[in-house]
Amino acid sequence: MSSNDTATETTTAKLLEAPSVQELVRQIRAQDSYGVYKNWSDDLVLKPFIIDRRERRKISVEGEVNPATINRIELFYRAIASRIEQETGPVVQVVIELNHEGFGWALVFCGRLLLVVRSLRDAHRFGFDSLEKLAIEAEKLTQAGIELAKRYPEVYRL
Amino acid sequence: MSSNDTATETTTAKLLEAPSVQELVRQIRAQDSYGVYKNWSDDLVLKPFIIDRRERRKISVEGEVNPATINRIELFYRAIASRIEQETGPVVQVVIELNHEGFGWALVFCGRLLLVVRSLRDAHRFGFDSLEKLAIEAEKLTQAGIELAKRYPEVYRL
């Protein structure tokens, strides 16, 4: 094994440790009623979330969004909602609205406060360039949500 | 015409004057690309929104929610959003999320503030017992939304 391979493995291991990534893995495994993922590494479980630019462009944006893709979008935002819950207390809701063209909204909220507001487009192609991009995005959204909840506790608990 | 009929007509005319009811009528007419409603009274245009208890119970909650019903749900909350916009300024968004069993959410928001949060159930049966009930509900949601926007201007403009 080259030193380069070892470096990559260390980075991957570190990214997988991010609390929001761990929560996403937990959410995915929770849906695995038949134990298919039982012996899979976290890395492998997250594989469908990683689609590089070239692969993404090959996915057609015609027709309905694939139910498996919608499920992944829900899992991603559900993981962020759970992380915010864990840090702040009250139950956090997730609403994903997608129209037939793959446009819509991802909303994470509690009380009257919106913690995450994302407009979605080309949802057919939902995915991240790399595990690093996924981890950065998930941590960023989680931290921003927690900060908002702390800044506006009254609206959060309304 | 009996005095009772006259009284009913006066009440109906008054209810139709409510700003949120007028806005709903305007939203419905805006979708009328073929001019079908052109010569219809406001009362008649609103008819599909009025379903009494007995009629409602006859509507099956099996299968997908009728697209016309989903459209009515969107129009109702869009009218409330428009009314809040007119009173407060910034653009107000509407998100309706419905699953295949007719459960979901109706959300109206601006910035990071949720002005209306309604969980939906048996959406197949969406409708109001009477024009009065519709007007009361629409005005109540509008006023509550405007009050929230004024109470938390910072979150509203975030």
Side-chain angles (χ1 to χ4, degrees), chain B residues 73-88:
Chain B
I73 297 174
E74 284 173 350
L75 283 165
F76 179 75
Y77 288 100
R78 185 68 250 164
I80 289 159
S82 294
R83 282 290 303 126
I84 300 172
E85 264 177 29
Q86 289 158 15
E87 300 293 323
T88 61

Side-chain angles (χ1 to χ4, degrees), chain A residues 73 76-82 84 92-96 105-110 113-120 137-146 148-149 156, chain B residues 95 107 109 111-114 158:
Chain A
I73 298 174
F76 179 75
Y77 289 98
R78 185 67 250 162
I80 289 159
S82 294
I84 300 172
V92 176
Q93 303 287 352
V94 177
V95 166
I96 308 291
W105 293 94
L107 304 174
V108 176
F109 65 95
C110 181
L113 190 62
L114 281 158
L115 304 160
V116 177
V117 177
R118 276 288 160 97
S119 58
L120 303 171
E137 180 76 355
E139 282 298 307
K140 197 184 76 183
L141 290 175
T142 302
Q143 290 312 318
I146 293 169
L148 266 175
Y156 193 58
Chain B
V95 166
L107 304 174
F109 66 95
R112 294 302 188 121
L113 190 61
L114 282 159
L158 214 62

Side-chain angles (χ1 to χ4, degrees), chain A residues 69-79 94 96, chain B residues 97:
Chain A
T69 307
I70 297 176
N71 185 38
R72 280 198 292 279
I73 298 174
E74 285 173 349
L75 283 165
F76 179 75
Y77 289 98
R78 185 67 250 162
V94 177
I96 308 291
Chain B
E97 183 227 39

Side-chain angles (χ1 to χ4, degrees), chain B residues 20-40:
Chain B
S20 57
V21 176
Q22 273 304 302
E23 182 57 37
L24 178 55
V25 170
R26 211 182 62 79
Q27 298 275 343
I28 302 166
R29 292 193 187 274
Q31 286 190 349
D32 180 31
S33 334
Y34 300 106
V36 177
Y37 303 155
K38 213 178 148 192
N39 299 317
W40 290 20

